Amino acid sequence: MFPHMSLKIIPTPNDLNIIRDIAQSGGKLPDMAKAIGCSRRTICTWCIGEEYPEVRQAYMAGKQAYAESLAEDLMEQAQSPLHDDPKLASAEVQRRRLIVDTTKWITGKLLPRVYGDNQRVDHQHSGAITVSPLEQLRQLEGGTVIDVTTTKAIATAEDCF
């Protein structure tokens, strides 16, 4: 009757479990859409949009668990023994370096607060602000107080030679 209108699909609790499980195993949005039986666009709208926060939470919980498992895998790979042959050991080191760098990049993107390279500095404070006595005088006098301790003394003739 109305070909331009489509039905709105609402996620069920079972859909939330599927999304969380697939995200936790490292699956992608198309895998989730196929498992639920909806379009990729629908699953993207659910996971990224604000309309269904429970879907977004399930998706993020799964991705966080996946990032944690990747970090654990990194530790296992870094601690595993190398080959006895020096040539093969060198190739193995290069292969592991590539795996580690790729996995670090992925975990940094999935959990930037935990594994990201950038540090966030919070400049907000809740303590009282200490004002110097000179600044207190300036505030009382309306900003006309001059700090004479910072002015340079006039050089004498002895200082010049």
Side-chain angles (χ1 to χ4, degrees), residues 67-105:
E68 293 292 338
S69 70
L70 285 177
E72 290 172 4
D73 291 345
L74 277 180
M75 291 302 297
E76 289 176 14
Q77 289 177 9
Q79 294 173 350
S80 63
L82 294 172
H83 200 275
D84 292 334
D85 184 9
K87 290 182 181 179
L88 293 176
S90 177
E92 180 67 18
V93 166
Q94 294 300 321
R95 186 179 74 80
R96 286 186 191 179
R97 183 175 291 142
L98 177 63
I99 291 170
V100 166
D101 287 344
T102 304
T103 308
K104 280 183 357 186
W105 184 83

Side-chain angles (χ1 to χ4, degrees), residues 4-159:
H4 63 279
M5 295 182 66
S6 62
L7 294 175
K8 184 174 182 177
I9 301 172
I10 299 173
T12 65
N14 187 41
D15 294 340
L16 297 177
N17 292 333
I18 291 171
I19 289 169
R20 185 173 25 264
D21 292 343
I22 292 175
Q24 187 171 357
S25 67
K28 301 174 185 158
L29 292 174
D31 301 333
M32 295 174 200
K34 185 177 180 183
I36 293 173
C38 65
S39 70
R40 183 171 186 237
R41 183 175 180 178
T42 299
I43 207 79
C44 285
T45 303
W46 287 355
C47 292
I48 298 170
E50 301 293 328
E51 187 174 0
Y52 299 106
E54 64 277 1
V55 176
R56 184 180 177 90
Q57 289 172 353
Y59 176 73
M60 292 308 294
K63 285 299 182 182
Q64 288 174 354
Y66 178 61
E68 293 292 338
S69 70
L70 285 177
E72 290 172 4
D73 291 345
L74 277 180
M75 291 302 297
E76 289 176 14
Q77 289 177 9
Q79 294 173 350
S80 63
L82 294 172
H83 200 275
D84 292 334
D85 184 9
K87 290 182 181 179
L88 293 176
S90 177
E92 180 67 18
V93 166
Q94 294 300 321
R95 186 179 74 80
R96 286 186 191 179
R97 183 175 291 142
L98 177 63
I99 291 170
V100 166
D101 287 344
T102 304
T103 308
K104 280 183 357 186
W105 184 83
I106 291 171
T107 55
K109 297 299 178 190
L110 291 174
L111 288 176
R113 291 183 183 171
V114 179
Y115 298 110
D117 291 335
N118 297 334
Q119 294 180 352
R120 183 171 178 248
V121 178
D122 189 6
H123 295 286
Q124 297 178 358
H125 58 83
S126 60
I129 298 173
T130 305
V131 179
S132 69
L134 182 61
E135 185 60 33
Q136 290 174 356
L137 280 173
R138 283 188 182 129
Q139 290 174 359
L140 289 174
E141 296 292 324
T144 58
V145 176
I146 299 171
D147 186 2
V148 293
T149 60
T150 59
T151 59
K152 289 190 172 185
I154 299 173
T156 62
E158 294 173 328
D159 294 333

